[in-house]
Amino acid sequence: MTRTQEAFLDLLRCGLWGTPLNPSIFGVSERTGDNSGAANLAKSSMLNHDEWKNIVDMAIEQTVTGVVFDALLTLPKALRPPKDIYFNLVAQVGDLEEGGYLMNKAIAYLFHAFDKAGIEVFLLKGQAVAQFYPQPLHRVHGDIDLLVPDSQNFEKAIALMQSLTGEEGEPEDERSHVVFSLKGVCVEVQGLNVYGIGRRCFHHYIDWAKESLKGESRKLILQTDRQPNDDAQSPKTATLSPMRFDLMFVFVHLMNHFFDGGVGLRQVCDWMRYLHENRSTIDLSQLEKDLNTLGLMPHWQTIASTAVCSLGAPKESIPFYSPSFDKKGRIALNHILRSGNFGMLRTNVFEEKNSHLLRRFGTLLSLFPSYGRVARLFPADACFSFYRYAKRRL
């Protein structure tokens, strides 16, 4: 692992868990604790401009910019990145915060509309897991993901979204998954879809999901501006799925992208923070049964090793961690760092000017190295997943 990668991961651990930064990388003085002492120690160990740029590039590729920025604030000013890089990060994090408020306003608007129409819908991932971060608004946001598990309600939800946005919506593949744009925010409405991570998951996921969704739903209070949402009479809220389903879905989504071209560390951070903040309420016996039902226990233990050994997660917060998976955990981390968030580091051999079919074939070719790395960990599941992906895309 390069010095830049070590520095990036050290910043990520600090931002997630508040652990001290490594003095040998950043030049932080453990003897004096003051800025002058730190600066003196840093003369031979302070990161240079190119190294800082590479660290920020990695944070962008892995969509963890806000978390890394939080860690930078623990450094004495003399040891922070050069001004051009630092102030660019300040601006990015400011945009993150404003974007987070915008997302929460859009979510509140949508749930008010769905509640009024009597359509049961759940908020997934994204802002639903941001609440578990030390600085929720510093989690890099993406789309608004809505789950409508009932098939009849799904059709009603699509009709309502068409009315709210004035769009037909963009269906994704052949699944119950339609994408809309609402006031500049991407909204994905999905029903219950299968996941081809492996044969067991593919064949049992829908039945498991229907069963786990019978639990009690939860409410998330949304912060829509810089003033806390303290209106006790009518707080802006979203509905979350039962924890049994929600927790597993976060992991299944992570692994689905891990197989299909690449996942960013943001998704792993989501999963770790979810486990950490809910460690006292998770039913471990039920979780173990669910992982075995879906055939995902080896996958869980692999990412658990990545979390504990490389990303600083407390062992007591990550169920079923086993040192016997540490080697696989390192391979998994390498795969994540090389692929980037949603495979952004992959290169399609065919350009936009080529036909749609050629671009899809190019995407498939670009996935060979990724699936090759996954096959080192889960050979049978990698073959099954690649077959399912190729069949769906071509």
Side-chain angles (χ1 to χ4, degrees):
M1 185 170 292
T2 67
R3 170 182 158 98
T4 301
Q5 288 174 325
E6 289 177 355
F8 165 71
L9 292 175
D10 207 39
L11 287 164
L12 187 61
R13 289 189 288 265
C14 176
L16 287 170
W17 314 108
T19 53
L21 292 171
N22 187 340
S24 66
I25 298 176
F26 296 97
V28 181
S29 174
E30 292 184 321
R31 297 188 298 274
T32 65
D34 60 28
N35 287 4
S36 60
N40 289 335
L41 181 64
K43 286 180 180 177
S44 62
S45 59
M46 189 161 45
L47 297 162
N48 62 41
H49 189 282
D50 288 343
E51 288 174 318
W52 275 118
K53 184 180 182 302
N54 289 337
I55 289 169
V56 173
D57 286 345
M58 290 182 69
I60 293 170
E61 292 163 2
Q62 301 296 329
T63 52
V64 290
T65 315
V67 178
V68 167
F69 177 77
D70 292 337
L72 288 178
L73 295 181
T74 68
L75 284 170
K77 290 183 179 180
L79 300 179
R80 291 178 186 175
K83 287 184 178 180
D84 60 321
I85 293 176
Y86 180 76
F87 286 113
N88 182 264
L89 271 176
V90 171
Q92 288 187 48
V93 173
D95 291 341
L96 265 184
E97 293 177 353
E98 292 304 318
Y101 293 129
L102 178 65
M103 293 280 286
N104 287 344
K105 286 178 181 177
I107 292 167
Y109 172 76
L110 287 169
F111 272 86
H112 176 74
F114 281 113
D115 288 346
K116 191 174 179 180
I119 301 173
E120 182 182 54
V121 59
F122 300 116
L123 178 66
L124 297 175
K125 308 185 282 110
Q127 298 304 93
V129 296
Q131 61 176 314
F132 302 129
Y133 280 70
Q135 296 287 342
L137 290 170
H138 288 184
R139 179 197 179 270
V140 177
H141 45 76
D143 307 329
I144 296 175
D145 291 278
L146 302 176
L147 173 68
V148 188
D150 180 81
S151 57
Q152 292 183 343
N153 273 344
F154 180 78
E155 297 303 323
K156 293 178 183 177
I158 297 304
L160 178 57
M161 287 298 301
Q162 290 171 340
S163 173
L164 293 174
T165 64
E167 299 178 350
E168 285 297 310
E170 292 281 341
E172 190 167 295
D173 300 323
E174 299 176 354
R175 303 182 298 168
S176 300
H177 192 154
V178 185
V179 182
F180 296 90
S181 178
L182 176 70
K183 299 177 181 179
V185 176
C186 181
V187 182
E188 299 189 13
V189 182
Q190 56 186 287
L192 289 179
N193 294 300
V194 297
Y195 287 91
I197 299 170
R199 289 185 183 276
R200 285 192 64 82
C201 187
F202 179 76
H203 290 298
H204 296 285
Y205 179 80
I206 296 294
D207 289 339
W208 170 85
K210 290 178 179 178
E211 179 63 28
S212 62
L213 282 166
K214 293 177 181 177
E216 185 177 354
S217 62
R218 300 157 294 146
K219 289 291 184 183
L220 171 66
I221 297 178
L222 299 161
Q223 186 177 351
T224 55
D225 53 47
R226 294 191 180 275
Q227 298 300 317
N229 185 353
D230 55 4
D231 185 351
Q233 299 302 315
S234 57
K236 296 178 174 63
T237 63
T239 304
L240 306 181
S241 61
M243 184 176 288
R244 178 186 171 193
F245 173 87
D246 200 29
L247 172 58
M248 186 62 74
F249 182 83
V250 168
F251 185 71
V252 168
H253 174 259
L254 184 167
M255 290 309 302
N256 186 56
H257 285 292
F258 185 91
F259 274 70
D260 285 355
V263 67
L265 283 173
R266 179 186 63 178
Q267 282 71 35
V268 182
C269 293
D270 287 350
W271 174 70
M272 291 190 299
R273 292 301 310 180
Y274 197 122
L275 289 172
H276 180 71
E277 291 297 314
N278 294 283
R279 59 192 181 280
S280 62
T281 56
I282 294 172
D283 185 338
L284 295 181
S285 175
Q286 184 64 63
L287 176 60
E288 183 175 13
K289 290 177 183 176
D290 290 342
L291 287 167
N292 288 327
T293 295
L294 299 176
L296 295 178
M297 181 60 86
H299 310 67
W300 180 285
Q301 291 183 291
T302 296
I303 305 302
S305 180
T306 303
V308 171
C309 297
S310 300
L311 303 178
K315 289 181 182 179
E316 60 272 17
S317 296
I318 310 297
F320 315 125
Y321 163 71
S322 170
S324 62
F325 280 80
D326 285 354
K327 181 178 179 180
K328 286 192 171 184
R330 290 190 293 271
I331 295 173
L333 176 65
N334 176 63
H335 173 57
I336 293 168
L337 292 177
R338 292 179 65 178
S339 61
N341 190 53
F342 298 152
M344 68 158 55
L345 299 181
R346 294 198 324 264
T347 302
N348 193 326
V349 295
F350 294 106
E351 301 176 355
E352 286 295 319
K353 63 183 180 181
N354 294 114
S355 70
H356 179 67
L357 183 60
L358 272 179
R359 292 200 308 273
R360 285 203 164 201
F361 184 68
T363 299
L364 202 61
L365 288 178
S366 73
L367 288 171
F368 280 143
S370 175
Y371 271 101
R373 293 192 295 270
V374 174
R376 294 182 61 193
L377 299 168
F378 317 109
D381 288 345
C383 292
F384 180 81
S385 178
F386 183 76
Y387 164 75
R388 290 289 310 168
Y389 185 92
K391 183 178 179 181
R392 192 172 77 244
R393 294 290 178 175
L394 296 179

